[in-house]
Amino acid sequence: MSVLNSAQQKAVAELLRVSPVADELGRRFAAAGHELHLVGGSVRDALLGSLGDDLDFCTDAHPEQTLAVVHGWADAIWETGREFGTIGIQKNGLRIEITTYRAEAYDGVTRNPVVSYGTSLHDDLSRRDFTINAMAVSVPGHEFTDPFGGLQDLASRVIRTPAAPQISFGDDPLRMLRAARFAAKLRFTVDPSAVTAMSDMAADLDRITAERIRDEFTKLMTAVDPITGLRLLVDTGLADRFLPEISGLKLEIDEHAQHKDVYEHTLIVVSNAMRLEGDEGPDFVLRMAALMHDIGKPATKAVGRDGRVSFHHHEVVGARLTKQRMKAMKYPKDVTGEVVGLVALHLRFYGYGRGEWTDSAVRRYVTDAGPLLSRLHKLTRSDVTTRNRRKAAQLAADYDALEDRIARIAAEEDLAKVRPDLDGNAIMELLGVPPGPIVGQAWRFLKELRLDRGPLDRDEAEAELYKWAREQGHIA
C-alpha cells in the first residue's frame, strides 16, 4: 500500500466520476466483512483517463457470499462466470464483474486454467498477465496497490509481466498474443525480455484453442495501431502458429526479378484502409480483407522471360486461402464470406482506365459486390501504394470516374436490386411450366440479359424469354 500520488488521485477521481456506485458497493462488502478492489484493466484505464462503463473488481468473498452482498441492490445479476469465481451485476447502467481472488494453476497440456480461490490481493495480482493490469484501488478506502511497478510501466509505456515472462507465458501462452494486442491497443512497447520469450515459446501457442486465438486477434486487428501488433506477431514467429500466410508474404526480391515488397505493401494497405473507415469506427472485415488481399501471391509468383514478375489469378487463390484460414480460426460464416468476397474482387477494377468497361461491366461490378460495394471502394483505393505520383494520381482519377459512372447508372436504374424483368410467376405463366429447374434457368438467363442491356420493357423481355425457350427446346 502507498500514499496516493497525483496520478493515482486522478485515477480515483476518474473512477468516482464514472462510477458513483463504486464506494457504495465497497461499503456493502465491508459491512459483510469482505474486501473489494477495483482491479486490472479498470485501474489501467482510469489512470489513462479512459475508464468506461465496464468495471472489474476482485474480492476475498466467494461467489455465494458476493451474491448475498449484491442481492436486492443490483439492478440485474448473472452467474454465467460463477464456476470461474465471477459474479456479474448491473447497476445504474454500469456492468460490473466481481471475481474472487484467484490462485490459478494450469493443467500443463491444454493450458486451461484450473481455478482455485486465493486469500490475498497480492497473490491475485501476481497471477495477472502484465504489470499494467496488476494494480488495484480499494473501495471505499481508495488505497492504491501496485506491487509490480505497473504505474511506472504505464508512464514508460512498457508492457512487462509481473513474474518472469517464461513463467507468465508458460501459465497461459495466450498472453503472448495479448502482449501484441496491448501493444496495438495502447501503442506501448513490449519489454525486450518478453519479446525474447515470445520468440522462444511461440510453439506453445498451439495449445490454445482456435476460438481464444481468434478473439485476441480480432481485438488486435480492431485496435488503434494493428500494424505494431502484426509486426510483433510476425517477428516473434507467433503469426506462423495461426496465420502463416502473413509471414509468407515476405517474398525474396532479387536484382533480376524486381517486384514490390508484398509484406510491407500489405501493411501499408491496412493502414490506408483504416484511414478510409470514417466515423463508423474500426471495420474488422475491411481490415482483414486488406491484410489478406495478396496472400495468393506466393503461390502464383512467376518470372517471365523478360524478368518481370507476375502473380496471375492471385485474387482467386487468395480468396480460397482466406476461406480456409478463417474457417480454421473459427470465424463465423458471414464474416468469412464478406472478407473472402472482398479478396476475390479486389483486382476487378484494374483495367477500367483503359476504357474497356461497358455499362454491362459496371452493372456486374456493382451486382457482384452487392452490399460489399462501399468496402470494395475503400479496399481498391487502399491498394494503391505506388511511389509514382503520376501513376497514383491516374489510378485515383480512374476510380473517381468509375464511382461517378456507378452513380450515373444507379440514378437511371436500381443497381442495388438488379433482377430479371420477369419474375418466376411470369416465367411459369408465359412458358406454361411448373416450378422446377426450367424456371431457374430462365430466371438466370433474364438476369444476365438485364446486366448486359439494362432494363427491358415487358414486350422485349417476353420476346427474349420466348426466343431463349425455343433455342433450349422448352417450347416449340
Side-chain angles (χ1 to χ4, degrees), residues 419-427 430 443 446 458 461-463 465:
R419 300 179 64 81
D421 296 286
L422 300 173
D423 63 18
N425 290 327
I427 291 170
L430 290 167
W443 191 93
L446 289 171
R458 178 77 181 200
E462 289 183 5
L465 174 63

Side-chain angles (χ1 to χ4, degrees), residues 349 352 357 362 365 377 397-407:
F349 159 73
Y352 176 80
W357 282 34
V362 175
Y365 186 76
H377 289 332
D398 288 345
Y399 209 85
D400 287 342
L402 174 58
E403 290 201 60
D404 289 343
R405 192 169 172 190
I406 289 172

Side-chain angles (χ1 to χ4, degrees), residues 81-122:
R82 182 170 180 168
E83 65 177 306
F84 300 108
T86 299
I87 299 298
I89 66 173
Q90 185 168 323
K91 180 70 174 181
N92 294 352
L94 298 172
R95 288 177 58 89
I96 296 171
E97 289 194 343
I98 305 166
T99 302
T100 304
Y101 293 155
R102 288 179 178 174
E104 292 174 346
Y106 291 79
D107 63 18
V109 179
T110 66
R111 299 301 186 183
N112 290 328
V114 178
V115 177
S116 60
Y117 299 142
T119 58
S120 78
L121 174 64
H122 183 281

Side-chain angles (χ1 to χ4, degrees), residues 19-186:
S19 178
V21 303
D23 279 353
E24 184 181 351
L25 181 60
R27 284 191 291 269
R28 292 182 67 89
F29 271 82
H34 299 297
E35 300 175 359
L36 186 69
H37 303 266
L38 186 74
V39 72
S42 293
V43 176
R44 180 199 70 228
D45 291 344
L47 286 164
L48 293 173
S50 60
L51 183 62
D53 294 335
D54 293 334
L55 303 178
D56 292 325
F57 291 88
C58 65
T59 180
D60 60 342
H62 286 198
E64 64 275 9
Q65 296 170 316
T66 294
L67 285 169
V69 171
V70 301
H71 181 73
W73 179 81
D75 297 332
I77 299 175
W78 56 93
E79 302 182 39
T80 51
R82 182 170 180 168
E83 65 177 306
F84 300 108
T86 299
I87 299 298
I89 66 173
Q90 185 168 323
K91 180 70 174 181
N92 294 352
L94 298 172
R95 288 177 58 89
I96 296 171
E97 289 194 343
I98 305 166
T99 302
T100 304
Y101 293 155
R102 288 179 178 174
E104 292 174 346
Y106 291 79
D107 63 18
V109 179
T110 66
R111 299 301 186 183
N112 290 328
V114 178
V115 177
S116 60
Y117 299 142
T119 58
S120 78
L121 174 64
H122 183 281
D123 289 348
D124 180 273
L125 295 179
S126 72
R127 304 296 302 181
R128 294 182 179 263
D129 52 4
F130 306 113
T131 60
I132 59 173
N133 296 330
M135 298 177 282
V137 175
S138 68
V139 287
H142 299 173
E143 293 181 308
F144 189 88
T145 303
D146 180 18
F148 304 105
L151 185 62
Q152 180 58 50
D153 287 343
L154 201 64
S156 303
R157 304 176 69 82
V158 173
I159 297 169
R160 190 168 55 85
T161 56
Q166 292 81 2
I167 296 174
S168 181
F169 298 154
D171 280 348
D172 184 0
L174 188 68
R175 290 173 174 172
M176 296 185 286
L177 189 49
R178 284 172 60 83
R181 193 250 289 185
F182 278 113
K185 176 182 178 179
L186 301 174

Side-chain angles (χ1 to χ4, degrees), residues 11 24 45 146 174 196 212 249 325 328 420 438-439 456:
E24 184 181 351
D45 291 344
D146 180 18
L174 188 68
T196 298
R212 293 182 73 203
L249 294 174
R325 180 54 55 195
I438 294 176
V439 179
L456 305 178

